[in-house]
């Protein structure tokens, strides 16, 4: 078993086996993050090539996040059933097949379907990484491991815009997906080579909760459909979709009460401070995703930048995050979870307000300054949040804790792509960002991030109030 292998290492320092496991997990983590960020720079080109507006082409991003979010908890159960190493290998295979179909897509709907399939593979990968890392590392080094994985995720997010921008400038958008296949092959080799087998016994296969997964998938789908997509969207229709989303999540909760092997144990959700931290992480990731979805349209049409330059600018934030990941883990380990979490949120609030104000005043320079404030704050918050969740759950609940971290994260990313992306589209009041004036683009961009800043302010206050009643 993997747990037995890594626990034989020195508890005060990382052994060679632990380093190899952590490196392998880091490469795996790059794959789904690259799949998430590499598409954003392509959106303006895809909108023009397929002759659709921003609201519709956003589904290339949303489809990936939708399937990833809907299957993340079920994927965690699959890992518990068949073994985490096997789950990772299956996930890499599914992701690569989705990448092949995406690269061969001849219309937008084929590309969206391929992205849905990619998201399923990404769910299998992300559902295991944090659980495996928390087992592989000595307890006093868990914060460091989470910080390093945060750096890895940021590297994948940074590489996405850079590589896709370069492919778009010199080759074609399809080559972005061919690169993902190559990385998938490397990840598969490392997992097969360095992770010990941990295959579960056949009786454990009954753990997968099909009914619960179906309710959660339906709820996520209608949640996305409920998000505004353009100024012509029907308020009544979106309200109906939202009602169905709430109804399906209620059915999901009821199914978890009756399931013999639920995706989420309701007893796990009785920790109020941990629940609040998970909810706050949802808003933090929604804002992070809005910079990756709204940002390329603003940089392309308001500032008139080329695809390569847009890719370079968009990758600045993830590069900052990559550098900030390790120090963030050290801050958590040395100064405590509470200090790191609140400082991170304060920096996110200031950074979000900076996005709302500085780009319209100083153009590209203002945009970059805002990135340098918001991004380190997000890394600091996430390192503290991941450490808090994974160190407050029982050993047998590590997989569930990892699944919930990723569920909240991907719900946030999906909301940033759909809701905040939709708000930006609605505020433009034109079918395509290419048709908007600079004044319209600046106003829509500023108001979108002012709304985001309000979410963070409320989150900061709520977390402070709850922490006064239940300490970290």
């Amino acid at each position: 078993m993997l747990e037995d292998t890594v626990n034989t290492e020195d508890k005060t320092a990382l052994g060679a086996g632990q380093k190899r496991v952590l490196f392998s997990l880091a490469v795996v983590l790059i794959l789904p993050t690259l799949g998430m960020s590499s598409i954003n720079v392509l959106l303006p080109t895809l909108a023009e090539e397929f002759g659709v507006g921003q609201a519709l082409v956003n589904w290339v991003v949303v489809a990936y996040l939708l399937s990833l979010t809907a299957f993340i908890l079920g994927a965690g159960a699959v890992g518990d059933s068949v073994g985490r190493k096997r789950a990772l290998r299956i996930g890499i295979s599914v992701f690569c097949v989705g990448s092949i179909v995406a690269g061969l897509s001849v219309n937008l709907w084929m590309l969206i379907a391929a992205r849905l399939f990619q998201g399923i593979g990404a769910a299998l990968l992300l559902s295991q990484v944090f659980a495996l890392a928390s087992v592989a590392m000595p307890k006093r080094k868990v914060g460091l491991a989470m910080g390093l994985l945060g750096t890895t995720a940021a590297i994948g997010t940074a590489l996405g815009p850079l590589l896709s921008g370069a492919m778009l400038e010199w080759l074609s958008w399809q080559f972005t997906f061919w690169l993902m296949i190559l990385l998938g092959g490397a990840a598969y080799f490392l997992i097969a080579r360095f992770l010990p087998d941990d295959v579960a016994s056949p009786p454990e296969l009954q753990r997968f909760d099909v009914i619960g997964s179906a309710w959660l998938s339906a709820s996520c789908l209608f949640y996305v459909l409920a998000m505004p997509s353009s100024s012509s969207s029907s308020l009544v229709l979106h309200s109906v979709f939202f009602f169905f989303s709430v109804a399906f999540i209620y059915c999901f909760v009821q199914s978890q009460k009756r399931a013999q092997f639920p995706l989420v144990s309701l007893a796990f959700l009785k920790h109020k401070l941990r629940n609040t931290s998970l909810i706050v992480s949802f808003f933090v990731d929604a804002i992070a995703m809005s910079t990756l979805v709204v940002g390329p349209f603003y940089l392309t049409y308001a500032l008139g930048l080329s695809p390569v330059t847009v890719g370079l600018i968009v990758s600045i934030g993830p590069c900052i995050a990559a550098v900030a990941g390790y120090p963030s883990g050290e801050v958590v380990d040395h100064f405590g979870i509470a200090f790191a979490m609140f400082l991170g949120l304060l920096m996110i609030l200031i950074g979000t307000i900076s996005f709302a104000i500085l780009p319209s005043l100083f153009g590209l320079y203002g945009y970059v300054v805002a990135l340098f404030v918001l991004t380190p704050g997000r890394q600091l918050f996430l390192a503290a949040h991941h450490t808090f969740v994974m160190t407050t759950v029982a050993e047998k609940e590590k997989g569930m804790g990892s699944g919930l971290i990723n569920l909240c994260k991907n719900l946030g990313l999906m909301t940033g792509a759909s809701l905040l992306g939709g708000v930006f589209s609605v505020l433009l009041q034109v079918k395509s960002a290419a048709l908007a004036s600079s004044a319209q683009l600046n106003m829509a961009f500023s108001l979108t991030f002012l709304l985001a800043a309000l979410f963070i302010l409320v989150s900061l206050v709520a977390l402070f109030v709850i922490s006064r009643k239940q300490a970290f």
Side-chain angles (χ1 to χ4, degrees), residues 252-379:
F252 170 73
V253 172
Q254 294 303 311
S255 73
Q256 298 306 283
K257 293 180 179 179
R258 298 187 295 268
Q260 182 181 3
F261 300 104
L263 297 175
V264 179
S265 170
L266 298 185
F268 181 89
L269 301 178
K270 292 183 178 180
H271 196 296
K272 290 184 179 180
L273 185 56
R274 187 168 61 210
N275 292 346
T276 305
S277 177
L278 287 165
I279 294 171
V280 173
S281 73
F282 162 86
F283 289 112
V284 168
D285 285 309
I287 291 170
M289 191 62 185
S290 68
T291 65
L292 294 174
V293 172
V294 177
F297 284 96
Y298 180 80
L299 294 170
T300 299
Y301 297 116
L303 303 184
L305 303 181
S306 68
V308 169
T309 306
V310 171
L312 180 62
I313 299 303
V314 171
S315 69
I316 289 177
C319 286
I320 298 170
V323 174
Y326 180 85
S328 296
E330 291 288 0
V331 169
V332 174
D333 288 337
H334 286 86
F335 295 97
I337 293 172
F339 174 84
M341 196 173 290
F342 284 115
L343 178 59
L345 277 177
L346 181 60
M347 292 174 66
I348 294 170
L349 177 62
I350 296 172
T352 308
I353 294 173
S354 298
F355 264 110
I357 297 174
L358 297 184
S360 61
L361 296 176
F362 304 107
L364 180 59
Y365 297 106
Y367 190 98
V368 172
V369 168
L371 282 175
F372 270 91
V373 179
L374 186 147
T375 308
R378 176 174 178 256
Q379 287 302 102

Side-chain angles (χ1 to χ4, degrees), residues 33-34 37 153-163 311 314-320 322:
T33 55
L34 185 66
S37 67
I155 290 172
T157 307
L159 284 174
L162 281 173
L163 294 175
V314 171
S315 69
I316 289 177
C319 286
I320 298 170

Side-chain angles (χ1 to χ4, degrees), residues 18-88:
Q18 292 169 329
K19 291 178 181 178
R20 286 193 292 266
V21 169
L22 189 58
F23 177 75
S24 300
L25 293 176
V27 175
V28 170
L29 188 58
I30 288 178
L31 194 60
T33 55
L34 185 66
M36 187 180 303
S37 67
S38 60
I39 305 304
N40 301 301
V41 174
L42 304 180
L43 292 179
T45 298
L46 293 174
E48 293 181 9
E49 178 162 333
F50 294 123
V52 297
Q54 179 199 340
L56 189 55
V57 80
N58 278 350
W59 272 92
V60 177
V61 175
V62 173
Y64 179 85
L65 295 171
L66 174 61
S67 59
L68 196 162
T69 304
F71 289 101
I72 192 68
L73 291 179
V78 169
D80 292 337
S81 300
V82 305
R84 291 168 183 168
K85 178 178 178 178
R86 182 176 293 178
L88 289 179

Side-chain angles (χ1 to χ4, degrees), residues 1-3 5-6 21 85 191-199:
M1 298 292 288
L2 177 62
E3 290 84 350
T5 301
V6 297
V21 169
K85 178 178 178 178
I191 292 301
R193 176 70 177 82
F194 294 120
L195 260 69
D197 293 327
D198 63 339
V199 180

